[in-house]
Amino acid sequence: MLVAMAFGVIPATAQTGSGIGSPALPATQPVVQDPAAAGGANAVDTADGEALSRKQKRTLQQQAEGELKFSLAKHALESRNCIIEIYDSRSTSKTRASYNYVEIQGDSIVMQAAWPGSPASGRGGGYAHSEGTITRFEMTPDKKGNIDVKIDAAMRVMNFGISYGGWPLHMRFKLFQGSNMVPLIAGLQGYVMLPSQANKMQLNGPSYR
């Protein structure tokens, strides 16, 4: 379950995803242009002749970038070709590789949850890798254009290609206009993106330590 998602980075043999810098926009996507760039000025004139301050321009640019992220996240979900990188909302390392993620490809779903070690108990860190088949995938827009997403799947814990038991996944979240970030349970945040944007880190080796 997502409650079991850990907040730390686990040292283990790993296969990298697409490199450092998540969540980042893919190089092939359109770049949001600074409103002042076209005119080469430090201020932008509005329709009524008033000039925008740098703070206002920055706000407009951030809004445009947020709309682009939302559009890409919506497309990734609709095409069932996405990765949801998951971080602790208190974490300051959201640009690093993600050890906690959900990957969706068609009707297939993969979840990796990593957790830190506990020196006090003498236990090392570890992770769980689960694979499954999606049985329900719904996207419902509300009146404001936000999208409610419901995903159910039959999952099984995997280790070296061997199944160690099944469990049901019930994932619920809302994709809000202006961002690709989705609030999750237990203080977690997910970032919905295309695989080409993601920076997941797949762990290998014994799942439990």
Side-chain angles (χ1 to χ4, degrees), residues 34-52:
D34 189 322
N42 291 326
V44 176
D45 291 334
T46 60
D48 58 5
E50 295 182 356
L52 298 177

Side-chain angles (χ1 to χ4, degrees), residues 17-29 72 75-76 81-83 85 103 105 193-200:
S18 60
I20 301 301
S22 172
L25 298 180
T28 57
Q29 297 300 328
L72 291 172
H75 170 70
N81 179 35
C82 68
I83 291 177
E85 296 185 351
E103 182 173 7
Q105 294 287 339
M193 58 193 72
L194 293 164
S196 59
Q197 297 174 273
N199 191 25
K200 70 171 187 175

Side-chain angles (χ1 to χ4, degrees), residues 152-170:
D152 293 340
M155 306 294 291
R156 56 190 182 278
V157 179
M158 304 295 295
N159 191 13
F160 294 111
I162 301 175
S163 175
Y164 285 86
W167 59 278
L169 170 68
H170 302 291

Side-chain angles (χ1 to χ4, degrees), residues 70-128:
F70 174 84
S71 178
L72 291 172
K74 180 182 178 182
H75 170 70
L77 287 168
E78 288 176 335
S79 61
R80 294 202 190 187
N81 179 35
C82 68
I83 291 177
I84 306 173
E85 296 185 351
I86 300 174
Y87 300 88
D88 178 4
S89 59
R90 298 164 296 180
S91 172
T92 58
S93 61
K94 296 183 179 67
T95 58
R96 299 180 183 177
S98 174
Y99 290 80
N100 299 295
Y101 62 86
V102 174
E103 182 173 7
I104 295 173
Q105 294 287 339
D107 290 332
S108 298
I109 184 168
V110 174
M111 173 182 286
Q112 179 174 282
W115 57 88
S118 174
S121 65
R123 295 180 59 187
Y127 72 98

Side-chain angles (χ1 to χ4, degrees), residues 130-203:
S130 299
E131 300 177 3
T133 301
I134 295 174
T135 58
R136 178 186 187 186
F137 191 101
E138 296 181 0
M139 295 176 61
T140 306
D142 62 19
K143 294 181 180 179
K144 296 182 179 180
N146 307 315
I147 302 174
D148 289 303
V149 180
K150 297 179 181 180
I151 302 172
D152 293 340
M155 306 294 291
R156 56 190 182 278
V157 179
M158 304 295 295
N159 191 13
F160 294 111
I162 301 175
S163 175
Y164 285 86
W167 59 278
L169 170 68
H170 302 291
M171 194 173 185
R172 306 288 186 269
F173 59 83
K174 176 171 285 191
L175 179 65
F176 290 93
Q177 284 275 3
S179 176
N180 67 332
M181 191 274 286
V182 294
L184 300 173
I185 61 175
L188 300 175
Q189 292 178 342
Y191 291 85
V192 183
M193 58 193 72
L194 293 164
S196 59
Q197 297 174 273
N199 191 25
K200 70 171 187 175
M201 184 71 73
Q202 181 177 336
L203 299 173

